[in-house]
Amino acid sequence: AMADDEDDPSSREISKCWLALKALERHDLDECLEHCNAALEKNPYDQQMWYIKTRCLTLKNWIDDTELEEEGVAEVLMDEHATAAMPRPGTSLRRPGTRTQTGMPNQGIRPTTSSGRPTTGFLRPGTSTRPMTNKGGVEGAFRGNRPGTTRPVTTSGRMVRLGTASMLAEPGGPFINVDKLDLRKYAKRPALARVLCDYILHHDRNPKKAVELASFATVDAGFDDWWWKHRLGKGYYQLGLLRDAEKQFKSSIADMPTIDATLQLANVYIRLDQPASAMRVYRAGQTQFPGETSMLLGEARIHDALNDMAAGVALYKNVLQWDATNVEAIAWMGAHHFYTDQPEIALRFYRRLLMMGVNNTELWNNLGLCCFYASQYDMTLHCFQRALQLADDDNMADVWFNVGQVAIGIGDLNLAEQAFKIAVSVDANHSESFNNMGVLDLRAGKVDQAIANFQTAHELLEFAHEPLYNAALTAFKLGQFQKAFEKVEKALENFPEHEDSLELRRQLVQHFNLL
């Protein structure tokens, strides 16, 4: 009989549950799903396999939601959380400080994004656009990160589309039909309820049902379970109930301080446009979790958004002391040293990124600019060639624009004009190229074409002061003093410390007084 058992192949078959668990540990999610599906076909009521498959599907669709996402049109136009209609500059993300700090680059040197926010050297979710100001209006609310693109209608709407796509990707339809579940029954079984809650939040993208389940489970836990309070906060945040989310995250942190809850609470304050409160949360997190770079980065980003560069530099340096391979901090320090007229030091930071394995268009473009301004001319063109080889339609225009800048630096105006024209042909909304084409047209005596280019540049990048100043100076030389005064006033609204605009306005005021 023993010999028969040894020869029986079924006795040597490895458990599907064990194989699925091992695949889940290795993060081989596709293999894990195969084992789960095979076991559930034989026994659909196998709770072990149901648990493993639910966890596997959750991990497969997991998105890091501690990063702030871009606000939708509905959140921008129907924001009911504003605390002040006209906040003081420097106290709100809607009105960052405009005064230049000692030793820091001013707005004339450091460029801005299409929404008026200073470039940081590193693209992050939710921070490449400035929150809407009063003059943005409905048209501005629909404008996306890049000119010519649009914002999503709502943040939660994008979540619903993500959930629908993940359901359609499953053969045979959705694994769990949440609408038919008795959530009260699952809430009494904590192990199953927790994995189901994460599944609803990250796979189905249904925060309303997740909040319902978390509410039942919190009551059953006697309001003492920090994990359920955290999930309640996540659900409320995705539903746009920011004050309710704030209460839940605070309660969760009071019971059990966690990094995730701290970052989520700071995101709530950022959405409420309370940067000072968000920074207090980050500083409390730095005390509770020493060396956690996400807290330092969060505070540095807020200082950056408020145009407080000095505090941002100190925090990014602190990040690099804890984590010398942090790409965001290295890229930001490289951009900072470049715009403070230290291209040699910036070159060292960008070379560090290259040695770490980063290989993209933006890095080679920045290396080319650093080599040019550090007088390493032999390397400049090679870097731009590599940048163009890696470029696509999203960033090729920026590379050609910088090639044009280098051509102006060496005095080859024909090459510069060709580069700017190529940039505009790749991206018809590239404001900087239109502005520089206008300057070159003025040198060539094409005044009408130059004025048209300045106007186009201003319409595409309304926060920039250069097209307005150039148009004002052109109107002044043509004797159109009233038009020049209007343009220079708008330029000074965008950059109050621009010396050339202030001097032009003084001349115009003096001329008007003589009249």
Side-chain angles (χ1 to χ4, degrees):
M2 289 178 63
D4 291 338
D5 288 341
E6 289 175 2
D7 294 337
D8 185 9
S10 62
S11 64
R12 298 196 300 270
E13 185 177 347
I14 300 174
S15 166
K16 292 286 185 185
C17 181
W18 186 85
L19 288 171
L21 274 174
K22 284 300 175 185
L24 191 64
E25 285 178 11
R26 296 194 309 270
H27 216 73
D28 189 348
L29 303 180
D30 291 328
E31 183 186 338
C32 179
L33 280 177
E34 287 177 11
H35 293 308
C36 291
N37 290 333
L40 287 170
E41 280 179 10
K42 294 179 181 178
N43 181 12
Y45 299 104
D46 188 339
Q47 289 189 10
Q48 287 181 334
M49 300 309 290
W50 184 91
Y51 181 96
I52 296 170
K53 183 175 180 180
T54 306
R55 187 74 187 138
C56 180
L57 288 171
T58 303
L59 290 173
K60 199 169 185 180
N61 293 278
W62 189 283
I63 293 174
D64 182 10
D65 50 7
T66 57
E67 290 282 0
L68 195 68
E69 73 285 345
E70 184 184 357
E71 290 182 324
V73 177
E75 285 92 347
V76 170
L77 292 180
M78 294 181 280
D79 182 14
E80 298 176 352
H81 303 289
T83 54
M86 289 295 290
R88 296 191 308 275
T91 62
S92 167
L93 296 171
R94 300 176 189 275
R95 292 194 70 194
T98 54
R99 189 173 298 278
T100 304
Q101 297 171 318
T102 306
M104 294 294 128
N106 63 29
Q107 196 175 334
I109 297 174
R110 190 179 187 188
T112 57
T113 64
S114 60
S115 57
R117 174 164 283 170
T119 53
T120 59
F122 189 86
L123 189 63
R124 303 183 292 265
T127 58
S128 57
T129 54
R130 172 189 284 181
M132 290 302 301
T133 53
N134 290 335
K135 65 181 179 180
V138 177
E139 182 183 348
F142 279 90
R143 197 172 298 154
N145 282 358
R146 297 179 62 249
T149 61
T150 57
R151 290 175 185 259
V153 177
T154 61
T155 308
S156 58
R158 187 198 296 122
M159 292 291 184
V160 170
R161 290 197 299 277
L162 282 172
T164 310
S166 60
M167 287 179 196
L168 289 175
E170 293 178 31
F175 171 52
I176 299 172
N177 192 342
V178 181
D179 294 325
K180 294 182 180 180
L181 293 181
D182 183 1
L183 297 180
R184 287 182 186 274
K185 184 180 76 174
Y186 278 90
K188 297 182 185 300
R189 308 176 70 179
L192 291 180
R194 291 191 180 202
V195 74
L196 178 61
C197 183
D198 277 345
Y199 176 88
I200 296 170
L201 273 174
H202 294 282
H203 182 274
D204 283 6
R205 310 285 172 185
N206 190 347
K208 186 178 177 182
K209 283 291 182 183
V211 165
E212 188 179 341
L213 174 59
S215 301
F216 293 144
T218 305
V219 173
D220 286 337
F223 301 96
D224 287 333
D225 194 323
W226 65 269
W227 194 92
W228 283 114
K229 293 176 183 178
H230 182 216
R231 291 305 185 271
L232 265 176
K234 273 192 174 186
Y236 284 137
Y237 179 81
Q238 290 185 16
L239 289 170
L241 303 172
L242 301 181
R243 287 300 180 186
D244 294 313
E246 177 193 3
K247 292 176 186 174
Q248 296 298 332
F249 286 134
K250 279 184 173 179
S251 182
S252 175
I253 292 170
D255 291 342
M256 172 66 73
T258 60
I259 295 171
D260 194 40
T262 306
L263 295 174
Q264 294 276 7
L265 180 59
N267 282 350
V268 169
Y269 285 125
I270 293 172
R271 282 282 294 272
L272 288 170
D273 194 19
Q274 296 180 10
S277 298
M279 284 192 283
R280 280 196 294 272
V281 172
Y282 284 129
R283 285 168 190 156
Q286 291 164 29
T287 306
Q288 291 171 330
F289 310 103
E292 178 55 45
T293 55
S294 58
M295 304 293 172
L296 295 166
L297 284 172
E299 188 182 353
R301 292 172 183 179
I302 293 179
H303 283 296
D304 209 16
L306 293 175
N307 222 1
D308 185 4
M309 303 297 172
V313 169
L315 286 163
Y316 280 115
K317 285 182 178 177
N318 198 358
V319 170
L320 289 176
Q321 286 177 359
W322 288 101
D323 180 8
T325 60
N326 188 282
V327 174
E328 179 177 349
I330 295 172
W332 194 95
M333 290 302 298
H336 168 72
H337 284 295
F338 179 80
Y339 289 121
T340 51
D341 203 20
Q342 297 172 314
E344 296 87 0
I345 300 177
L347 192 59
R348 290 172 59 188
F349 282 99
Y350 289 129
R351 283 177 59 197
R352 168 73 174 168
L353 287 177
L354 203 59
M355 288 187 284
M356 285 167 53
V358 180
N359 183 35
N360 55 30
T361 302
E362 290 80 7
L363 179 57
W364 284 106
N365 174 75
N366 292 352
L367 281 166
L369 287 174
C370 289
C371 289
F372 177 74
Y373 288 107
S375 302
Q376 299 183 17
Y377 303 119
D378 54 332
M379 292 295 297
T380 303
L381 288 179
H382 291 296
C383 290
F384 280 121
Q385 284 174 353
R386 290 293 295 273
L388 288 170
Q389 287 171 3
L390 296 170
D392 55 22
D393 289 344
D394 288 336
N395 48 29
M396 188 178 288
D398 290 329
V399 181
W400 279 111
F401 169 77
N402 286 319
V403 170
Q405 290 286 88
V406 169
I408 289 175
I410 61 177
D412 191 344
L413 300 185
N414 289 328
L415 173 60
E417 187 175 4
Q418 289 177 2
F420 294 139
K421 285 181 177 178
I422 294 172
V424 170
S425 68
V426 174
D427 181 2
N429 298 302
H430 202 262
S431 167
E432 296 88 348
S433 296
F434 278 108
N435 179 64
N436 284 12
M437 282 169 60
V439 175
L440 293 176
D441 287 335
L442 270 183
R443 288 179 63 90
K446 304 173 185 176
V447 179
D448 293 337
Q449 193 170 337
I451 293 172
N453 281 329
F454 293 144
Q455 182 62 29
T456 304
H458 169 59
E459 290 172 358
L460 294 172
L461 199 65
E462 60 184 25
F463 290 100
H465 65 278
E466 293 97 335
L468 290 165
Y469 170 73
N470 290 335
L473 188 61
T474 305
F476 178 75
K477 290 181 177 179
L478 292 174
Q480 301 171 1
F481 299 123
Q482 183 60 40
K483 184 178 179 182
F485 187 77
E486 291 170 1
K487 293 286 186 183
V488 81
E489 282 290 313
K490 290 182 180 177
L492 287 170
E493 282 181 20
N494 292 343
F495 183 19
E497 299 176 7
H498 189 223
E499 285 294 332
D500 293 336
S501 295
L502 291 170
E503 177 60 30
L504 179 58
R505 187 174 66 175
R506 278 195 290 270
Q507 291 184 22
L508 286 166
V509 169
Q510 186 178 0
H511 178 76
F512 290 147
N513 288 336
L514 289 175
L515 293 177

